[in-house]
């Protein structure tokens, strides 16, 4: 088998583009996290802060969860991780 590349098998799919994060402003990320947490019954009322940080391989922002009950901690962390995988903090226009 030859080395793997983004164009394997002739499918014409660029994996860097496929897995690229969507740029979003602080307000957009805050709205997405808030809505996602409110949709989960255990996570309603969870308070959080979005913290900008130097870029790492995981991204350039993180969430500090506050006022989260022990039974909601796992679910809230999973929701935040999914959103972090999808969005990259960009400067507001």
């Amino acid at each position: 088998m030859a080395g793997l590349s983004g164009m394997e098998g002739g499918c014409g799919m660029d994996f860097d583009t496929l897995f690229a994060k969507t740029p979003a402003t602080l307000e957009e990320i805050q709205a997405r996290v808030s809505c996602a947490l409110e949709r989960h019954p255990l996570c309603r009322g969870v308070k959080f802060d979005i913290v900008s940080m130097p870029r790492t391989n995981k991204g350039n922002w993180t969430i500090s969860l506050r006022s989260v009950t022990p039974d909601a901690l796992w679910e809230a962390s999973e929701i935040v991780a999914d959103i972090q995988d999808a969005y990259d903090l960009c400067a507001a226009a």
Side-chain angles (χ1 to χ4, degrees), residues 3-37:
L4 294 177
S5 71
M7 303 298 239
E8 194 68 30
C11 66
M13 188 176 287
D14 182 5
F15 287 110
D16 289 336
T17 302
L18 179 65
F19 293 111
K21 293 184 179 190
T22 303
T25 64
L26 184 66
E27 292 78 19
E28 291 169 333
I29 292 172
Q30 186 170 5
R32 290 182 188 281
V33 171
S34 180
C35 288
L37 290 173

Side-chain angles (χ1 to χ4, degrees), residues 1 3 7 10 12 16 18 24 31 44-45 51-52 55 65 68 82 84:
M1 176 185 276
M7 303 298 239
D16 289 336
L18 179 65
R44 292 183 183 136
V51 180
S52 177
R55 182 167 303 283
L65 293 173
V68 58
D82 289 344
Q84 282 179 309

